[in-house]
C-alpha cells in the first residue's frame, strides 16, 4: 500500500478533491497519523485499498 503523504495525496485527490486531501495530509503530518486513518467514512475500505495500491500508479 502507498501510505506516505505525497503518494496518498496523488491517489486520493481525484476521489476526494484537492481541498479535502490537502487538509487530511496536513493533519496526518501534524499528528503523525496514517492518512488511511483520517479518511474515515469518506471512502469504503475497498475504495481506499484500491486507490492506495501501488499498481494504481502505473499506466495500463
Amino acid at each position: 500500500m502507498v501510505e506516505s503523504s505525497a503518494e496518498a495525496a496523488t491517489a486520493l485527490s481525484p476521489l476526494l478533491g484537492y481541498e479535502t486531501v490537502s487538509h487530511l495530509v496536513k493533519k496526518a503530518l501534524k499528528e503523525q497519523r496514517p492518512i488511511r486513518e483520517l479518511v474515515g467514512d469518506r471512502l469504503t475500505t475497498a475504495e481506499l485499498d484500491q486507490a492506495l495500491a501501488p499498481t494504481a500508479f502505473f499506466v495500463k
Side-chain angles (χ1 to χ4, degrees):
M1 299 284 168
V2 176
E3 299 288 339
S4 78
S5 296
E7 289 89 357
T10 300
L12 296 175
S13 286
L15 300 172
L16 299 175
Y18 177 82
E19 293 291 328
T20 299
V21 174
S22 175
H23 172 76
L24 291 173
V25 168
K26 288 176 186 177
K27 186 172 182 172
L29 291 172
K30 182 178 180 182
E31 298 177 7
Q32 297 182 1
R33 293 170 61 191
I35 191 82
R36 175 179 290 280
E37 186 178 297
L38 298 175
V39 168
D41 62 353
R42 292 176 178 94
L43 295 173
T44 66
T45 301
E47 290 171 325
L48 192 54
D49 287 346
Q50 184 177 1
L52 297 178
T55 55
F57 290 89
F58 296 101
V59 177
K60 296 175 184 171

